[in-house]
Amino acid sequence: MAKAFFRLQKFLRRTQFLLFFLTAAYLMAGSLLLLQRTRLVVQQGSRGTSASQALPVPEAMLGAALADPRMAQIPSPRLLVGTATLQEPVLDQRHSPRWLASRNSELRQLRRRWFHRFISDQEPMQTAGLKAMKRSAEHKGTYMGCFSDDSRERTLKGAVFYDLRKMTVSHCQEACAERAYTYAGLAYGAECYCGNKLPATTSRPEECNSECKGEKGSVCGGVNRLSVYRVEELWAAAPRRRNVIYRGCFRAPENLTDTFPASLIQPNLTVEMCSEFCSKKEFPLAVIRGQECYCGYPTGSFSLHDGTDGRLCSRMLNATSATGGKYCLVYQTPVQDTRCTDRKFLTTKSKVFVALSSFPGAGNTWARHLIEHATGYYTGSYYFDGALYNKGFKGEKDHWRSRRTICVKTHESGKTEIEMFDSAILLIRNPYKSLMAEFNRKFAGHLGYATDHNWKSKEWPDFVNSYASWWASHVLDWLKYGKRLLVVHYEDLKQSLIPKLKEMVEFLNMTVTEDRLLCVENNRDGNFKRSGAKQKDFEPFTQEMKDLINRYILTVDEALRGRNFTGLPREYVPR
């Protein structure tokens, strides 16, 4: 018996040693493979795409598109001249569109890793202001109590903010006060709601039991419960940033009292007085006719589409009659138009898997904002961006293949990634603008600008050499492998928002009301837009860069026309 036990013990020791040896060998092999792949990626990234590798286009074609002044007089927006020229095999095998797609597949993995790494690297940056917010959180205004809240019918109907990681009571109050709201309500520890009317239904204090995500020991509402604060005391000694925007002069409707829900007649009426009155009433428009002030929304009878000469309204400011005047001045108050802010996930899984595909920097986030507010449903994302989630894009946290979102954002352009989708909206933007937008995001996030040092460093030409080819291959791959496409040019969407947005909504097999579209137009920029265009005192694109990008523009234009889509706008090629 002892002998058998000894043999068993010896066998177990050998087995243990063998398992240890195999584990060590497996880890060593994995490490060697990782080092080898890392070296390969670094080599590919350092090579980029040189100008000598660019797609050659006959100089006559390029010159005709760039220098011939007669081209500007041609009604057709074609960038290429002559159908016979288009049919000639101007691209050799080494520089064909097939080569371009193959060449960029090598860089795709590098870019994808960079994209995810950039998002994760931003997280520590986003917490940099946490200490400052905690210091300002000592003053919390006046606590009004715990109130009931219904996600289907919000009790505070103003602006909405999310901050999954660092929401504080003070942060919410400041956001609401800047937009001229009186009350700030917090729920679920990370959601902030603004309004000017105190909720009607109170709850027990202990039901507001969610700790603020960015401030330990502070309460930020609960499940369907709001911790409500009055923010006026917080801003008693500081001026509010009201951001009243002049929308123009318009012909007044026949019956203003039927068109607008609230009104005020005030001697010596001023823009500030009317805007203040309409903000308190939670309306986004302040309309002035003489001594009359009206508040309301853009509607079918007053859509703000057809403005008139501002001089027609100039005498209305000094009018003494309370009822006269055919024209009115319109201002947009800081209050958000809330008719289209309610969004939700699809109640049943979508049968059609739709992509919202674009090159980075082509306005994908803006397009998602428009689609979500027009349809009332969230959009998803192939990636997870915490900064976007905090701005209200709740689909960022949902798995991209859940089919609970109306469409899915993606920058991918490989055959496998494209064929996973049943259809796609392909958003294309001028590569010059796209490259600059993505470079800004790379160095300064979604809302910032890269410094002059960044633009003048070696990073910029390397970025252009690599990413310009990706801009072209992205479109070419989707044209080749996409099953059902709707091509939307960013410039057309910006110029003709309502018609193009209707086209996108119809492609998604959704219906939308006219009031909701007008609401989207009133909130067209959303919370993710860089403040103005930061002008640089130098030209970031060298002539070599322009030659490279222009070749890709001509190639993409030809490919679009080959699939019977509208070609690229002429403005893509710089004059």
Side-chain angles (χ1 to χ4, degrees), residues 245-494:
I245 301 171
Y246 175 63
R247 296 296 301 270
C249 177
F250 297 86
R251 180 177 289 274
E254 291 185 3
N255 195 331
L256 286 171
T257 55
D258 290 342
T259 305
F260 301 107
S263 62
L264 169 71
I265 299 178
Q266 179 71 43
N268 301 319
L269 182 69
T270 64
V271 174
E272 183 177 5
M273 292 166 60
C274 185
S275 174
E276 177 79 14
F277 173 74
C278 293
S279 295
K280 290 292 184 182
K281 295 292 184 179
E282 296 187 342
F283 289 109
L285 292 185
V287 180
I288 299 176
R289 186 182 68 171
Q291 306 300 304
E292 304 169 353
C293 171
Y294 296 91
C295 311
Y297 302 98
T299 60
S301 59
F302 194 73
S303 63
L304 302 185
H305 287 162
D306 301 318
T308 60
D309 190 344
R311 290 175 294 183
L312 296 174
C313 288
S314 60
R315 62 177 177 270
M316 295 296 103
L317 291 174
N318 299 319
T320 57
S321 173
T323 58
K326 297 181 179 179
Y327 302 94
C328 57
L329 292 166
V330 180
Y331 295 85
Q332 187 165 336
T333 72
V335 175
Q336 186 177 8
D337 191 339
T338 58
R339 295 175 299 168
C340 59
T341 55
D342 57 307
R343 288 162 290 167
K344 60 184 179 181
F345 289 102
L346 295 172
T347 53
T348 58
K349 289 187 176 181
S350 174
K351 296 180 180 179
V352 182
F353 197 29
V354 186
L356 177 61
S357 177
S358 73
F359 175 78
N364 200 300
T365 301
W366 180 52
R368 291 176 66 187
H369 162 77
L370 297 175
I371 291 172
E372 288 191 2
H373 284 73
T375 63
Y377 293 104
Y378 288 115
T379 59
S381 176
Y382 188 77
Y383 321 95
F384 172 71
D385 191 334
L388 290 178
Y389 179 85
N390 290 339
K391 288 292 183 179
F393 291 93
K394 286 194 172 182
E396 284 286 327
K397 196 175 181 181
D398 206 53
H399 191 275
W400 66 280
R401 300 196 73 167
S402 69
R403 291 180 179 256
R404 297 200 310 151
T405 54
I406 194 168
C407 61
V408 177
K409 162 191 172 178
T410 179
H411 299 311
E412 304 303 315
S413 55
K415 180 176 183 294
T416 303
E417 290 85 352
I418 293 174
E419 291 182 344
M420 290 187 298
F421 294 95
D422 301 318
S423 58
I425 297 175
L426 179 59
L427 184 63
I428 305 174
R429 187 183 184 185
N430 187 324
Y432 289 94
K433 300 293 181 63
S434 294
L435 290 170
M436 294 179 69
E438 180 61 9
F439 193 73
N440 280 321
R441 191 187 74 88
K442 178 181 178 182
F443 285 97
H446 288 281
L447 301 178
Y449 290 91
T451 64
D452 288 350
H453 174 73
N454 297 135
W455 292 101
K456 295 178 181 180
S457 68
K458 191 176 181 296
E459 288 272 2
W460 172 237
D462 290 345
F463 179 87
V464 172
N465 286 335
S466 175
Y467 275 63
S469 61
W470 185 13
W471 176 87
S473 68
H474 181 273
V475 178
L476 295 176
D477 279 359
W478 278 93
L479 290 176
K480 182 176 181 180
Y481 302 116
K483 300 173 185 176
R484 176 173 170 262
L485 291 179
L486 172 66
V487 176
V488 177
H489 297 290
Y490 172 90
E491 292 76 16
D492 293 341
L493 182 61
K494 189 175 181 180

Side-chain angles (χ1 to χ4, degrees), residues 122-352:
Q122 275 192 311
E123 297 298 331
M125 296 170 58
Q126 293 170 356
T127 60
L130 184 58
K131 294 181 179 179
M133 282 194 297
K134 284 187 177 181
R135 286 195 298 268
S136 64
E138 295 177 358
H139 193 331
K140 298 179 181 179
T142 303
Y143 180 64
M144 305 302 295
C146 184
F147 293 83
S148 299
D149 185 54
D150 188 349
S151 59
R152 292 171 296 182
E153 183 64 29
R154 291 292 177 191
T155 53
L156 293 179
K157 301 179 182 297
V160 182
F161 307 94
Y162 304 93
D163 202 327
L164 185 65
R165 299 187 60 206
K166 52 182 185 296
M167 177 62 74
T168 66
V169 174
S170 181
H171 181 35
C172 178
Q173 290 185 58
E174 290 173 1
C176 294
E178 286 179 351
R179 290 157 179 82
Y181 289 105
T182 304
Y183 299 103
L186 298 104
Y188 299 98
E191 299 181 1
C192 173
Y193 299 91
C194 307
N196 288 321
K197 296 179 182 178
L198 198 64
T201 307
T202 59
S203 300
R204 293 178 299 171
E206 58 269 21
E207 293 180 6
C208 287
N209 51 17
S210 295
E211 186 178 65
C212 300
K213 296 294 184 180
E215 189 178 13
K216 291 184 178 181
S218 294
V219 177
C220 287
V223 179
N224 293 328
R225 296 294 183 269
L226 284 173
S227 297
V228 179
Y229 294 83
R230 185 178 183 90
V231 301
E232 283 186 343
E233 292 185 9
L234 182 69
W235 285 81
R240 294 184 177 183
R241 194 183 68 214
R242 295 197 175 275
N243 294 334
V244 177
I245 301 171
Y246 175 63
R247 296 296 301 270
C249 177
F250 297 86
R251 180 177 289 274
E254 291 185 3
N255 195 331
L256 286 171
T257 55
D258 290 342
T259 305
F260 301 107
S263 62
L264 169 71
I265 299 178
Q266 179 71 43
N268 301 319
L269 182 69
T270 64
V271 174
E272 183 177 5
M273 292 166 60
C274 185
S275 174
E276 177 79 14
F277 173 74
C278 293
S279 295
K280 290 292 184 182
K281 295 292 184 179
E282 296 187 342
F283 289 109
L285 292 185
V287 180
I288 299 176
R289 186 182 68 171
Q291 306 300 304
E292 304 169 353
C293 171
Y294 296 91
C295 311
Y297 302 98
T299 60
S301 59
F302 194 73
S303 63
L304 302 185
H305 287 162
D306 301 318
T308 60
D309 190 344
R311 290 175 294 183
L312 296 174
C313 288
S314 60
R315 62 177 177 270
M316 295 296 103
L317 291 174
N318 299 319
T320 57
S321 173
T323 58
K326 297 181 179 179
Y327 302 94
C328 57
L329 292 166
V330 180
Y331 295 85
Q332 187 165 336
T333 72
V335 175
Q336 186 177 8
D337 191 339
T338 58
R339 295 175 299 168
C340 59
T341 55
D342 57 307
R343 288 162 290 167
K344 60 184 179 181
F345 289 102
L346 295 172
T347 53
T348 58
K349 289 187 176 181
S350 174
K351 296 180 180 179
V352 182

